[in-house]
Amino acid sequence: MGRILFVTGTDTGCGKTFAGTALIHALRARGRQVLAMKPVASGCEMTPDGLRNSDALALQSAASTLLSYDRVNPCAFAPAIAPHIAAARTGVRIPLPDIIATARELAAQCDVLVVEGVGGWRVPLTDAEEVADLARQLQAGVILVVGLRLGCINHALLTAQAIGADALPLLGWIANRIDPGMDQPEANLATLAARLGAPCLGCLPHYAETVDPRAAAEHLNPSSL
């Protein structure tokens, strides 16, 4: 079975998908067969083929093999709200056992399965389970995406602390320059590097326009994964 990497973020909007797709391309450039999942997604649009999420579509297209959409994103919800609330509004329960089974099947078909979470580490998925439980049941190594903006040090350190408390390995972190006007970004990076206790896999520059994730992949070094 291939390794499972779980991509989580400091908060919503930190750039998990951008970093995740860049990571996929960086791994593929090193000869790895990589598949991807976004098991739960809210904020989906209705299409002739059903609900589709832009993040899940990006992960689907970045992978080594084009999987059917329902394998990449088995739980899709239209409202852009917390997933457990979206599920309750539609009268369903997010089926973690089914998601785990699908992920393990996919991991058996590749060298690395990249699984992107939804929101941050403590986002609820059901009445009793949260994103952390999904990562724990997958026995995944965690990649933390840190959106560089004011407050990111606190968010990153608290998330890393929570990952450790859940007995999962933080394999590395990716810095993403989401705020081009951030004051003292290099000093923030230095603080994160000194305190997170995991290797920095790279720092993604700010892009004013949409960019091919293969170009962003050049800023990552996943050799430790």
Side-chain angles (χ1 to χ4, degrees), residues 82-95:
H84 71 297
I85 298 175
R89 283 180 56 176
T90 55
V92 302
R93 180 181 174 86
I94 295 173

Side-chain angles (χ1 to χ4, degrees), residues 57-80:
L57 290 170
L59 292 164
Q60 180 190 38
S61 64
S64 300
T65 301
L66 186 65
L67 299 172
S68 63
Y69 184 83
D70 64 330
R71 301 279 277 173
V72 176
N73 176 213
C75 293
F77 303 105

Side-chain angles (χ1 to χ4, degrees), residues 37-41 70-71 73-77 83-84 86-88 90-104 124-127 129-130 133-134 137-138:
M37 286 185 75
K38 172 89 173 176
V40 181
D70 64 330
R71 301 279 277 173
N73 176 213
C75 293
F77 303 105
H84 71 297
T90 55
V92 302
R93 180 181 174 86
I94 295 173
L96 281 193
D98 293 344
I99 290 171
I100 298 298
T102 298
R104 288 177 176 160
L125 296 178
T126 68
D127 291 341
E129 296 161 308
E130 56 192 17
D133 294 297
L134 173 57
Q137 291 181 49
L138 288 173

Side-chain angles (χ1 to χ4, degrees), residues 38-47 50-57 69 73-81 86:
K38 172 89 173 176
V40 181
S42 53
C44 303
E45 294 185 3
M46 182 57 70
T47 75
L51 286 171
R52 293 292 183 266
N53 176 264
S54 59
D55 292 346
L57 290 170
Y69 184 83
N73 176 213
C75 293
F77 303 105
I81 57 178

